Amino acid sequence: MSKDKPRTIDTWLAARTAEMLALPHTICRRRDCRRRNSCYWHFRSNNEPCCLQNLSAEQREVFDAIYNRAHFAQGFLGSNSHLLEARHGEPRMLDDVAIEIARMSPSRWRPEIWDAARRRREKMLPPG
């Protein structure tokens, strides 16, 4: 993809990532989002939740890292689950958060295989 063309974002997945990071409650300026503690508003131009414009550069990097990992988990946990088997530290935490976000995605590839891979992963890994 070219660098001048913005990447499309999965609105549902971005909203769940923002909710996991408590962005609607802590930094969103939309009253509906704060009251419901959920993302309800997004920009039509790029489908990003509105609260992302209030993040600093460092905070946005954290959001992007978690969103990208959740997007990866959504597509690959059912087929290449070995790619999400970090055993400890920050990579494991990132995988755990990403899987938790992607777990309820309506567009998961083959949900029954995906859930079986998630259960196998939980049994295999030591408590974190």
Side-chain angles (χ1 to χ4, degrees):
M1 188 174 284
S2 73
K3 294 192 180 219
D4 18 331
K5 187 176 179 185
R7 184 186 70 172
T8 58
I9 193 167
D10 180 346
T11 306
W12 188 92
L13 198 62
R16 301 301 81 79
T17 304
E19 290 168 7
M20 179 67 90
L21 296 171
L23 299 182
H25 183 70
T26 57
I27 68 163
C28 192
R29 294 183 183 142
R30 301 282 185 167
R31 179 182 240 180
D32 290 345
C33 297
R34 284 192 315 268
R35 283 188 168 178
R36 297 177 185 169
N37 202 22
S38 294
C39 282
Y40 283 97
W41 295 90
H42 66 277
F43 295 112
R44 288 181 186 249
S45 61
N46 58 5
N47 293 329
E48 287 186 352
C50 293
C51 58
L52 298 185
Q53 73 178 350
N54 302 330
L55 297 176
S56 68
E58 296 84 22
Q59 292 168 330
R60 181 59 194 248
E61 286 179 21
V62 170
F63 174 87
D64 287 340
I66 294 172
Y67 170 81
N68 290 333
R69 199 65 182 166
H71 192 267
F72 182 80
Q74 177 180 322
F76 288 103
L77 186 63
S79 59
N80 294 326
S81 57
H82 67 279
L83 299 173
L84 295 160
E85 291 182 355
R87 298 238 179 233
H88 50 75
E90 190 175 323
R92 177 169 177 191
M93 181 189 70
L94 191 59
D95 286 350
D96 289 344
V97 170
I99 290 169
E100 199 58 37
I101 292 168
R103 182 175 152 208
M104 301 309 290
S105 174
S107 59
R108 279 186 298 167
W109 178 81
R110 307 269 316 258
E112 65 282 353
I113 295 173
W114 201 95
D115 287 336
R118 181 181 56 83
R119 287 190 297 273
R120 274 193 313 275
R121 179 183 182 276
E122 288 175 359
K123 288 179 184 175
M124 182 189 71
L125 294 175

